[in-house]
Amino acid sequence: RMLPELIWQIEDERAVFLTFDDGPTPGVTEWILAMLKRYDAKATFFVLGKNVEKYPDLYAKILADGHRVGNHTYSHQKGYLMSLERYLEDIDLAAYSVQSNLFRPPYARVTPSQLRAIAQRYKIVMWSIVSRDYNRKISGERCLQGVLPHIKAGAIILFHDSVKSFANMSYALPKTLERIAELGLKCKAIEL
């Protein structure tokens, strides 16, 4: 409530919202897209500007498959360690390649003044369920158990589109998609 510009869930009685941060990533993005297609699921990819520049074909494939994208900065910086001006420059640099009104701050590490400035131009999308797929100290099963019990309509689920997260994400994502289907929910891309 103190930061009303942050979106932690979306009012929708029939859908959940899968999100993938940090891509596009060769090998990983294609696998995610194939899995989403298998389950007729749409998602939102919060991409890094530097990765979009390196892999424009992967970025185009995300869009061609009917998914949404959001700005996740150019270089994945912790905002609270940067000046407002420098952080906004990094976001603006990503915006050259990533056309979106959605933004997610890396690590959720931003200052209130940065959030206020970003909220003037973007919808700031956070998450209600974090998979912790990036944590190499946990197993894929533990990652999955951090997600499944919390799935409900309107949830925003955070996974990662990265090599570091692939082992846990590739274990947890199919089982998450199965559970979503069992609950009679759809996976939608975020449209705000």
Side-chain angles (χ1 to χ4, degrees), residues 90-110:
D90 201 61
I91 294 167
D92 290 342
L93 188 57
Y96 284 114
S97 303
V98 183
Q99 290 74 45
S100 178
N101 69 326
L102 305 177
F103 177 79
R104 176 175 284 160
Y107 312 103
R109 305 293 180 125
V110 287

Side-chain angles (χ1 to χ4, degrees), residues 72-108:
H72 196 47
T73 73
Y74 184 84
S75 58
H76 206 264
Q77 299 292 319
K78 294 176 182 168
Y80 74 99
L81 295 176
M82 304 172 78
S83 70
L84 171 62
E85 294 75 21
R86 179 66 191 102
Y87 194 57
L88 292 177
E89 285 174 10
D90 201 61
I91 294 167
D92 290 342
L93 188 57
Y96 284 114
S97 303
V98 183
Q99 290 74 45
S100 178
N101 69 326
L102 305 177
F103 177 79
R104 176 175 284 160
Y107 312 103

Side-chain angles (χ1 to χ4, degrees), residues 20 25 30 46 55 59 68 83 96 100 106 134-135 155 171 186:
F20 297 90
T25 306
E30 297 95 331
F46 287 91
Y55 312 111
Y59 178 72
R68 288 284 319 270
S83 70
Y96 284 114
S100 178
Y134 54 83
N135 188 338
Y171 177 85
K186 286 285 287 174

